[in-house]
Amino acid sequence: MDIGFMEIFYPMVISAVAVLATLIYTSYLDIRDRRVPFIHWLPMLAVGVICTSVLLWQTTANASLVTGYLALVASFLYADYLDNRGRTDSLGLTGYYAKSRMFWYLVPVIALPVLSWFVLTPSVNTQIIPWFMMFAGIFAYATYMEYRSVPEETPRKKQKQKKQEPAVADVKDTISRWYFVLIVMIFAIVSALMLFSASAGARPAWGQPAIMVLLLSVFCGVFYIFGRMNLFGGADTWALIFMSFCVPTFPFAPLLGTPPLGFLSFTVLINALLLNLAAPIGIFIINIARGNRAPLMYMFFGFPVKGAEIQKEWGFVMEDFEETNGKVSRKFIGFFDSLRRMYSGEDRVYTKDLREHPEDFADELDTYRKAGTVWISYAVPFIIPITAGFVTAVVFGDFLLTIMKILTGGI
């Protein structure tokens, strides 16, 4: 299927409407609570998966391809399940995350690739067999590791466990954080094999439509990695991943033309990042107007709040404090140190945690009160520019590509 072909894909129009409605509602939730319960993504995902499956079947009539797409979706859902198994605080999903269901969920996750890669395919490629064995082995081992582990309850308890048992915690963190990258790589490799290779005299199993599954594997994998590195919030990560599954291609040609890649979520992310540049500029202007002073970089990304009222605010603390003989000293957290803390999830103080788990941060809260003011990062949920990026991508197209064309005289 030519994913850049300029016509109206009606299943994608239906899916785009579901995605937009969900993004608007989840943006409201993220502004209000700084949390989007996972259950709110599922209706959108159900509509989007059905619509994309219909589109793939209408354009290819290839059951192997459709099942391969479903296998990729199931794998991402199972990764979320493993990350949250045993949770009892997720709205409407306590039963879904029950630890006893782990191996039952594993069965369809393993079965779907078998159907797609070996049973329904018009030509079986033996090169895929070792990749499937690796796929099944990684998921089986990750499942076993998660089954033996006990979910943590609060961010501070996670940090304490890692400090008490650093070797064990590091191994577990590495496996739980990065095993799925290998799963995504396997999907990408298999998609490439389905695109190009075939047994003697046979046509490729998927042919050109495999590009869609390949792009979904690569870009959703990148979004997942960004989420695991804490560069995106959980809601932002799943918004981009599920948006990719629901609307992998443009529903119709945007006003500025369809980008060469034709993959909608990539354009959404580019537009969202460009639109999000307005926030730091606005923060800087407000700080100047209010007379707030800090090193230049921090003037763009944060602002001071009253230490006694920090629990009412939203953001990450941008300073380190030390109290000696009743005197509080302070310094801004360096750029690279901030990246390290963001990646590891350690030693970052989130005002939401201060509000929800004050007993774990009693010393910090006392120090903030004594300090008088505390600089925190601005906390505009990224899902808002994602929503704006989605609307602008569908209607107008790729802003960055258009800017580059203007600068190079292409327009």
Side-chain angles (χ1 to χ4, degrees), residues 7-42:
E7 64 177 79
I8 297 178
F9 296 132
Y10 290 103
M12 293 296 91
V13 173
I14 297 172
S15 188
V17 172
V19 169
L20 179 59
T22 302
L23 287 175
I24 293 173
Y25 180 62
T26 52
S27 295
Y28 162 73
L29 291 178
D30 214 1
I31 293 172
R32 187 187 68 181
D33 304 326
R34 292 305 193 274
R35 181 174 181 268
V36 179
F38 192 75
I39 195 171
H40 293 301
W41 300 115
L42 298 183

Side-chain angles (χ1 to χ4, degrees), residues 87-270:
R87 286 187 61 173
T88 58
D89 62 341
S90 186
L91 177 64
L93 294 178
T94 297
Y96 169 76
Y97 285 128
K99 209 170 180 182
S100 59
R101 299 189 177 184
M102 185 176 294
F103 294 101
W104 289 104
Y105 291 156
L106 180 61
V107 172
V109 171
I110 300 297
L112 284 171
V114 172
L115 289 174
S116 173
W117 302 346
F118 304 113
V119 177
L120 299 176
T121 180
S123 57
V124 177
N125 188 335
T126 56
Q127 292 178 315
I128 295 177
I129 295 176
W131 293 111
F132 171 75
M133 298 301 294
M134 188 181 301
F135 168 87
I138 292 172
F139 255 141
Y141 183 70
T143 300
Y144 174 71
M145 291 292 292
E146 293 295 339
Y147 183 78
R148 293 184 58 189
S149 64
V150 179
E152 296 294 334
E153 297 178 3
T154 68
R156 180 50 57 93
K157 288 183 178 180
K158 292 180 181 179
Q159 293 183 19
K160 286 182 178 180
Q161 181 183 10
K162 192 165 185 177
K163 290 178 180 179
Q164 292 170 356
E165 303 175 12
V168 175
D170 286 343
V171 171
K172 181 180 180 300
D173 178 70
T174 300
I175 293 175
S176 63
R177 180 174 290 201
W178 299 118
Y179 79 90
F180 195 66
V181 176
L182 298 176
I183 296 293
V184 171
M185 289 176 60
I186 291 171
F187 269 107
I189 292 170
V190 171
S191 299
L193 291 173
M194 291 291 199
L195 170 62
F196 295 112
S197 62
S199 58
R203 61 185 177 87
W206 292 353
Q208 188 179 358
I211 294 176
M212 178 178 288
V213 179
L214 178 60
L215 290 175
L216 283 171
S217 302
V218 172
F219 282 103
C220 291
V222 171
F223 297 151
Y224 181 86
I225 290 172
F226 284 174
R228 297 304 279 172
M229 294 178 67
N230 297 314
L231 298 178
F232 289 158
D236 309 327
T237 300
W238 289 116
L240 289 168
I241 291 174
F242 289 158
M243 182 196 308
S244 301
F245 289 142
C246 293
V247 196
T249 187
F250 286 79
F252 44 78
L255 295 176
L256 298 175
T258 304
L261 194 60
F263 192 70
L264 178 63
S265 291
F266 180 67
T267 299
V268 171
L269 179 60
I270 294 299

